[in-house]
Amino acid sequence: MLDKVAASWKATVLTLHPDMFPGSLGLSLAGRALEKGTWELEKVDIRDFADDKHRTVDAIPFGGGAGLVMRPDVVDAALNSVADNGSPVIYLSPRGRLLDQDLVKKLAAGPGVTLLCGRYEGIDQRVLEAREVIEVSVGDYILSGGEPAALILMDAVIRLLPGVMGNRESADEESFELGLLEYPLYTRPAEWQGRKVPEVLTSGHHEKIKQWRQEQAEEITRERRPDLWAEYLVKRNDTKLGR
């Protein structure tokens, strides 16, 4: 499902707090792209699908424990209201697969995504299984709800959509695109508080600059992200062997 390609991209967000969207995505490049229709946003208030006068969406967990759990019948009704255009349904959860650049690229190439934002202790497992929901985590930490995580995922995807970013080359050189963290960046003035820009960057020698940036990216990745460095070495070795 994640590999399906389409000509347009739409984010459908199921949430108890629809006013949190588009949030920061209504500004800058993403905001202009939203105004131009490069991407669409649909907000669905899960509470609208509660069937009692108090609009109750949660209940105490079976088996005991702290907190409340979002009810499967209410969440399922909210999902039923969303048109099926082949988009994956993603539940933002700390136990999900880690959001990485490869997944971001796959989502950007598809028709869009339906994002399910949990609150309280989470969502009843049965509706996640019945709907074959994909669980995705934005990192090993706990947030107050799925909304901030949804905004992170959307931001990462939207910037890759055609026409959103002005400089494609810039995107290609960013962290994770080539399996490495990005090299250090410098701009004017050439000297600041006694610190000078590396001489190679002012040499005008493009090949030496390219080599310096590659070396810096490798060194930073090796020191700060040994996990990425190990993966990079495997891929580089496979490339040399023609695999």
Side-chain angles (χ1 to χ4, degrees):
M1 184 183 296
L2 293 179
D3 293 317
K4 184 175 181 179
V5 178
S8 60
W9 200 86
K10 178 180 180 180
T12 301
V13 184
L14 284 72
T15 172
L16 296 177
H17 300 283
D19 290 342
M20 294 181 71
F21 298 89
S24 60
L25 299 180
L27 306 172
S28 190
L29 296 177
R32 289 197 288 272
L34 181 59
E35 291 179 357
K36 289 166 53 179
T38 305
W39 67 283
E40 299 176 60
L41 173 63
E42 178 185 9
K43 301 183 288 184
V44 178
D45 189 342
I46 297 174
R47 200 173 293 279
D48 288 342
F49 299 89
D51 59 5
D52 66 323
K53 65 178 181 179
H54 300 294
R55 304 177 76 205
T56 305
V57 299
D58 57 283
I60 59 174
F62 282 113
L68 299 167
V69 177
M70 293 179 66
R71 294 173 46 147
D73 53 340
V74 177
V75 173
D76 187 63
L79 286 169
N80 272 333
S81 74
V82 177
D84 183 8
N85 64 348
S87 299
V89 179
I90 290 179
Y91 170 46
L92 287 309
S93 164
R95 70 183 185 186
R97 66 153 291 183
L98 187 65
L99 179 67
D100 57 22
Q101 198 65 14
D102 286 340
L103 178 56
V104 168
K105 288 179 179 178
K106 289 179 180 179
L107 294 175
V113 65
T114 297
L115 299 174
L116 181 55
C117 300
R119 281 273 160 174
Y120 314 116
E121 293 302 306
I123 295 176
D124 189 296
Q125 182 67 27
R126 291 169 294 179
V127 70
L128 300 179
E129 294 173 354
R131 290 284 184 165
E132 298 183 343
V133 174
I134 302 167
E135 296 188 51
V136 173
S137 169
V138 296
D140 295 335
Y141 45 85
I142 307 300
L143 298 170
S144 58
E147 290 82 8
L151 288 168
I152 289 172
L153 184 150
M154 291 165 63
D155 183 277
V157 173
I158 291 166
R159 61 194 305 280
L160 295 186
L161 300 178
V164 175
M165 290 187 66
N167 191 337
R168 182 65 253 177
E169 181 181 355
S170 175
D172 291 340
E173 293 182 355
E174 291 174 330
S175 293
F176 308 115
E177 283 295 334
L178 301 177
L180 297 170
L181 299 179
E182 193 173 20
Y183 49 78
L185 302 172
Y186 299 87
T187 187
R188 298 176 182 177
E191 182 173 346
W192 175 77
Q193 294 188 358
R195 299 171 182 266
K196 296 182 179 180
V197 172
E199 187 175 341
V200 64
L201 298 180
T202 60
S203 68
H205 197 299
H206 298 298
E207 194 57 39
K208 288 184 177 179
I209 292 173
K210 182 179 179 181
Q211 180 180 351
W212 179 87
R213 287 175 167 170
Q214 177 70 18
E215 292 171 351
Q216 290 292 309
E218 291 182 354
E219 180 179 349
I220 290 172
T221 304
R222 184 171 58 249
E223 291 179 353
R224 302 182 185 181
R225 290 292 302 273
D227 56 327
L228 290 179
W229 178 246
E231 293 178 10
Y232 172 74
L233 291 179
V234 171
K235 292 179 180 178
R236 187 173 67 177
N237 187 54
D238 287 346
T239 300
K240 288 181 179 180
L241 295 176
R243 296 176 182 171

